[in-house]
Amino acid sequence: MRNLPGFWIPKDVSWEKFTKQGTQGTMFARGLKRKSAEDGEDVEGGLAGAQAMPSYSLQRQSLLDMSLVKLQLCHMLVEPNLCRSVLIANTVRQIQEEMAQDGTWRVVAPQAAGRAPLDRLVSTDILCRSVREQEGERPAPDAGDGHTPDLVPGLATVPSAQALRNPQSSLWEVDSSRENRGGFQKSLDQIFETLENKTSGSVEELFADVDSSYYDLDAVLTGMVGSTQSGHGSGLQAFSPATAAPPSSSCRSDLGELDHAVEILVET
Amino acid sequence: MPSHRMPSEADIISTVEFNHTGELLATGDKGGRVVIFQREPESKNAAHSQGEYDVYSTFQSHEPEFDYLKSLEIEEKINKIKWLPQQNAAHSLLSTNDKTIKLWKITERDKRPEGYNLKDEEGKLKDLSTVTSLQVPVLKPMDLMVEVSPRRVFANGHTYHINSISVNSDCETYMSADDLRINLWHLAITDRSFNIVDIKPANMEDLTEVITASEFHPHHCNLFVYSSSKGSLRLCDMRAAALCDKHSKLFEEPEDPSNRSFFSEIISSVSDVKFSHSGRYMLTRDYLTVKVWDLNMEARPIETYQVHDYLRSKLCSLYENDCIFDKFECAWNGSDSVIMTGAYNNFFRMFDRNTKRDVTLEASRESSKPRAVLKPRRVCVGGKRRRDDISVDSLDFTKKILHTAWHPAENIIAIAATNNLYIFQDKVNSEMH
């Protein structure tokens, strides 16, 4: 594996937990959805879904997903900003620690829970709230759904992060016997090994289940960096175009830009 | 490598710096160019050009490079420019991109010799039969020509991206800081540098903190400060040890537990640190505030000013669009009584430390008509809204003022708004108070 000072890999950022929970999580997800429905939340999708009140744990999960994707994207860009990567990784670690403490890390956000992605980014008040306010709202260790009716709907789920949690993703099938060993480090090692050894044909396979529109570099750079070229700079309400794809869309659509990005990585 | 960027992006200003007298103002941009402005001397005849800045020189400082070993492009963007104190007729400055620092010498030529014996005015050899007497060449005035030449290139000193350079008060050495290390250089020696701070962990997986900025003390050549992504400042004394990993003083404000969120650490990351001119205080900028620290008190800052607290409830959105990682700079005025920093929507803020008054101003075409007076702006957060107020949700987050500079002696400020440079002068109060 190339030893790239810029491509730094943080410790204790446990990606595995979230991929493995994929299968088991489905049950929980459905249960959660049903429970939400029972409690009168309308999760039927579309605008109705957008008006549902996500709990603190779901919002926290969204933040975690977003952070993991940001970290992964770091490895796709030319020379990642180390300070930014460190700060994001620390944030991920904090979330995971908290989730481990209140035992909610088993619960996976409902996959495409009929919650259509929001076209606009709404104020995510709850995650910025002080601890004191949140104390009354945090879910109990059995992953109860803490309802906070005065909350604004939170972040849309990020499609490619969900794809990461998809157990069928060949991203994590490279060596299934290694899956049981802990650590983010090993998983990423596998990715880099695979990228170096395999041909571009199988690299396509590697990214098969990932929503390639997220890896469209133009969209990514426009969405992530908030450059003057992007249309989303008109305020907080704008939403990154890269994450606007509905979770249920085909993941194999156009791999052209993805190939290009991977070529840069592996110099094939 | 062919440039795939739009022309306008190369013009984005990435650093602004006055020299020690304020006569010159240097800007660096994303395309690796440096533009130096010079203040015209005030002339009683031309009432309009009272001490205005005109372009003095433009040169290409850094070019894009390709690191073949890592298959990575090294950006030519100028991260920082620092002027050397002037020691003779020439001016010198250091400019740096992510990896390489260069020392440039700027000289003027306004005379040229005329009346050579062997060559004529165009430089062609004369027909010797026409030369009947010898003459001594005389210096005659010519149009001013500014010549810039690279004198030193300090390369291969950094594995990570350089974020700061600072010239020592001894005028012989300077330091350069990247994410994990700080090196000390002698201005005349390019093939060697001394590592004075190294926070790289043995195992990179354990990395949780990086260096974000550093600066030498303005008077004590042995002292320097560096800031971290966790919001701490470390004052180091180079006399104590060769490797200054152990700080002399650690400045850290205890976290407010009632304000804690997942974004607490990110917004506490210090993006800039500046010593006051007096050397007694330090100014730091983090995402939402500027803080003044007394070198004699490590426990907490002595003053904290809110730059744009209305963003506190929007941190998640700002995290999503990466704005939360924007690195704003801060500046002292010459008398250390006012501090300034940039914000979004092309706003910048000034805080008067004595009167505790603050003001929000905007750098825009409308506000910069000659002799126009800048109108204070206000961001409203719901509640009563006045006519010209801007609401938080209509702020333009692509218009960020990251780089600002204050003239060392007068009330003149330089504001970089994306690819435009604004220079504002306080004609009424041109003297510092």
Side-chain angles (χ1 to χ4, degrees):
Chain A
M1 175 185 154
R2 288 180 292 180
N3 189 15
L4 305 163
F7 291 5
W8 151 87
I9 297 157
K11 184 174 87 161
D12 296 339
V13 172
S14 182
W15 291 47
E16 279 206 349
K17 280 184 183 174
F18 302 98
T19 58
K20 284 174 74 177
Q21 294 315 308
T23 36
Q24 299 166 26
T26 326
M27 268 177 8
F28 287 99
R30 276 199 221 110
L32 189 71
K33 184 175 164 184
R34 220 174 285 127
K35 184 176 199 291
S36 302
E38 276 169 17
D39 288 335
E41 274 189 327
D42 186 0
V43 289
E44 222 98 59
L47 280 172
Q51 282 154 21
M53 302 301 190
S55 68
Y56 172 85
S57 63
L58 290 177
Q59 291 216 335
R60 184 176 59 183
Q61 181 68 48
S62 291
L63 181 64
L64 182 60
D65 294 343
M66 191 204 317
S67 303
L68 291 173
V69 170
K70 277 179 185 292
L71 272 181
Q72 198 186 35
L73 277 171
C74 282
H75 301 143
M76 297 288 281
L77 296 176
V78 175
E79 176 119 66
N81 182 329
L82 189 61
C83 181
R84 179 178 169 276
S85 305
V86 168
L87 289 172
I88 296 171
N90 290 351
T91 307
V92 168
R93 227 176 267 118
Q94 272 182 61
I95 298 174
Q96 289 179 336
E97 276 166 18
E98 191 183 275
M99 288 170 110
Q101 270 170 30
D102 52 35
T104 52
W105 61 270
R106 289 173 191 278
V107 178
V108 170
Q111 312 223 359
R115 216 183 288 268
L118 302 171
D119 281 329
R120 57 191 182 87
L121 195 61
V122 194
S123 159
T124 50
D125 181 49
I126 185 172
L127 288 169
C128 310
R129 280 198 194 172
S130 67
V131 160
R132 204 166 291 153
E133 291 170 38
Q134 285 167 356
E135 232 132 53
E137 294 151 12
R138 272 219 228 134
D142 338 336
D145 207 6
H147 288 289
T148 45
D150 54 330
L151 282 183
V152 182
L155 310 161
T157 46
V158 179
S160 46
Q162 286 191 335
L164 286 174
R165 280 185 265 111
N166 181 347
Q168 270 106 46
S169 167
S170 54
L171 196 67
W172 306 106
E173 276 181 346
V174 172
D175 184 353
S176 55
S177 66
R178 287 210 240 166
E179 269 183 289
N180 294 323
R181 291 186 214 150
F184 173 76
Q185 167 69 2
K186 299 241 163 43
S187 307
L188 266 196
D189 273 349
Q190 292 167 28
I191 299 173
F192 279 110
E193 260 177 51
T194 315
L195 287 174
E196 286 191 338
N197 298 335
K198 292 193 176 178
T199 62
S200 54
S202 31
V203 166
E204 275 185 22
E205 238 176 88
L206 194 67
F207 288 99
D209 283 303
V210 178
D211 181 356
S212 65
S213 71
Y214 207 104
Y215 288 94
D216 180 323
L217 277 182
D218 282 339
V220 159
L221 289 172
T222 309
M224 296 296 290
V225 180
S227 72
T228 49
Q229 303 167 29
S230 86
H232 94 303
S234 52
L236 287 170
Q237 303 303 313
F239 192 72
S240 161
T243 55
S248 52
S249 69
S250 153
C251 294
R252 263 192 189 274
S253 41
D254 178 23
L255 288 173
E257 281 97 358
L258 178 61
D259 276 349
H260 179 60
V262 167
E263 266 175 40
I264 294 171
L265 266 181
V266 304
E267 297 171 273
T268 50
Chain B
M1 279 184 77
S3 169
H4 50 274
R5 284 194 275 258
M6 288 189 355
S8 60
E9 201 174 314
D11 297 329
I12 294 175
I13 299 169
S14 48
T15 188
V16 186
E17 188 83 6
F18 280 100
N19 76 337
H20 297 276
T21 60
E23 183 210 350
L24 299 175
L25 174 67
T27 62
D29 67 22
K30 234 178 156 186
R33 277 175 317 223
V34 171
V35 180
I36 303 176
F37 297 84
Q38 184 187 43
R39 193 175 185 197
E40 294 306 316
E42 298 206 13
S43 120
K44 294 184 177 73
N45 299 335
H48 297 297
S49 60
Q50 276 169 16
E52 295 197 349
Y53 285 83
D54 292 325
V55 177
Y56 178 65
S57 172
T58 304
F59 61 96
Q60 187 74 33
S61 170
H62 287 70
E63 298 276 3
E65 283 172 52
F66 194 73
D67 182 335
Y68 292 95
L69 193 65
K70 297 186 226 162
S71 294
L72 294 171
E73 197 179 288
I74 299 170
E75 276 193 305
E76 67 276 29
K77 171 169 73 91
I78 308 296
N79 292 338
K80 282 281 159 20
I81 290 173
K82 285 282 143 84
W83 290 91
L84 267 55
Q86 194 177 6
Q87 286 171 330
N88 48 42
H91 296 277
S92 300
L93 59 79
L94 289 169
S95 66
T96 186
N97 68 348
D98 283 339
K99 297 285 183 175
T100 305
I101 307 131
K102 294 186 185 180
L103 174 66
W104 295 88
K105 190 162 173 189
I106 301 131
T107 48
E108 284 184 7
R109 192 194 290 263
D110 62 355
K111 298 179 192 51
R112 68 156 180 251
E114 280 180 21
Y116 283 108
N117 291 293
L118 297 177
K119 291 186 193 170
D120 66 16
E121 292 312 308
E122 282 139 35
K124 286 194 297 205
L125 285 173
K126 284 184 190 172
D127 179 357
L128 286 179
S129 57
T130 63
V131 178
T132 53
S133 60
L134 288 177
Q135 57 182 345
V136 177
V138 181
L139 286 175
K140 295 252 173 88
M142 59 178 259
D143 288 339
L144 178 67
M145 214 163 71
V146 180
E147 296 173 337
V148 182
S149 59
R151 292 304 231 204
R152 306 263 191 277
V153 178
F154 303 90
N156 305 317
H158 290 277
T159 308
Y160 302 95
H161 290 177
I162 297 172
N163 53 54
S164 318
I165 47 174
S166 178
V167 183
N168 201 341
S169 50
D170 66 8
C171 302
E172 285 186 354
T173 58
Y174 76 95
M175 70 155 139
S176 56
D178 66 32
D179 295 312
L180 299 178
R181 298 189 177 105
I182 302 181
N183 292 336
L184 183 72
W185 304 80
H186 192 286
L187 284 164
I189 300 170
T190 59
D191 60 355
R192 226 179 315 147
S193 72
F194 295 97
N195 177 238
I196 55 177
V197 174
D198 188 340
I199 65 166
K200 183 177 179 215
N203 189 347
M204 275 294 272
E205 291 180 344
D206 296 334
L207 181 64
T208 57
E209 191 173 10
V210 301
I211 297 169
T212 51
S214 78
E215 197 182 47
F216 266 120
H217 191 279
H219 310 311
H220 303 297
C221 57
N222 56 300
L223 289 181
F224 66 94
V225 69
Y226 70 90
S227 60
S228 83
S229 55
K230 286 200 173 170
S232 64
L233 300 171
R234 284 172 174 80
L235 188 71
C236 302
D237 188 334
M238 294 197 292
R239 294 172 305 191
L243 189 60
C244 303
D245 279 356
K246 289 204 182 102
H247 48 266
S248 293
K249 292 195 183 183
L250 171 63
F251 299 80
E252 210 168 24
E253 185 170 23
E255 193 179 9
D256 177 7
S258 64
N259 243 340
R260 178 148 180 68
S261 76
F262 286 124
F263 306 107
S264 294
E265 188 186 306
I266 300 179
I267 62 170
S268 74
S269 174
V270 174
S271 51
D272 193 17
V273 62
K274 293 263 169 50
F275 278 104
S276 63
H277 292 87
S278 63
R280 177 146 175 221
Y281 304 104
M282 295 182 296
L283 180 66
T284 58
R285 174 67 153 100
D286 51 63
Y287 193 61
L288 298 178
T289 71
V290 278
K291 295 179 167 135
V292 177
W293 301 77
D294 186 322
L295 254 60
N296 298 316
M297 190 163 83
E298 298 163 71
R300 74 189 71 83
I302 56 168
E303 293 155 32
T304 299
Y305 301 94
Q306 301 295 331
V307 180
H308 37 205
D309 200 56
Y310 45 77
L311 296 183
R312 197 176 284 273
S313 57
K314 314 277 185 194
L315 293 178
C316 208
S317 315
L318 295 163
Y319 178 73
E320 166 130 28
N321 64 16
D322 265 14
C323 282
I324 208 174
F325 301 108
D326 285 335
K327 291 190 188 312
F328 292 94
E329 290 169 10
C330 52
W332 296 92
N333 73 340
S335 58
D336 299 335
S337 58
V338 183
I339 54 190
M340 168 172 71
T341 188
Y344 292 107
N345 211 71
N346 277 353
F347 288 167
F348 58 99
R349 304 263 283 134
M350 286 190 193
F351 303 91
D352 189 319
R353 296 179 61 213
N354 300 323
T355 64
K356 299 301 180 199
R357 289 210 310 245
D358 63 86
V359 70
T360 304
L361 300 169
E362 183 179 359
S364 70
R365 291 276 157 82
E366 293 77 41
S367 66
S368 66
K369 297 205 173 77
R371 278 157 294 289
V373 174
L374 285 179
K375 193 177 61 172
R377 305 307 309 265
R378 217 173 80 111
V379 178
C380 71
V381 245
K384 266 206 299 197
R385 197 201 145 137
R386 286 182 223 157
R387 199 167 57 118
D388 289 327
D389 284 3
I390 310 268
S391 85
V392 183
D393 296 317
S394 27
L395 289 174
D396 188 343
F397 288 84
T398 62
K399 294 191 177 148
K400 38 194 112 183
I401 293 184
L402 304 172
H403 313 289
T404 59
W406 205 310
H407 189 287
E410 296 182 37
N411 277 344
I412 302 172
I413 55 176
I415 311 283
T418 318
N419 52 353
N420 293 313
L421 178 72
Y422 293 88
I423 300 176
F424 297 114
Q425 230 166 330
D426 186 349
K427 290 281 166 64
V428 176
N429 299 308
S430 52
E431 307 264 319
M432 297 279 183
H433 297 291

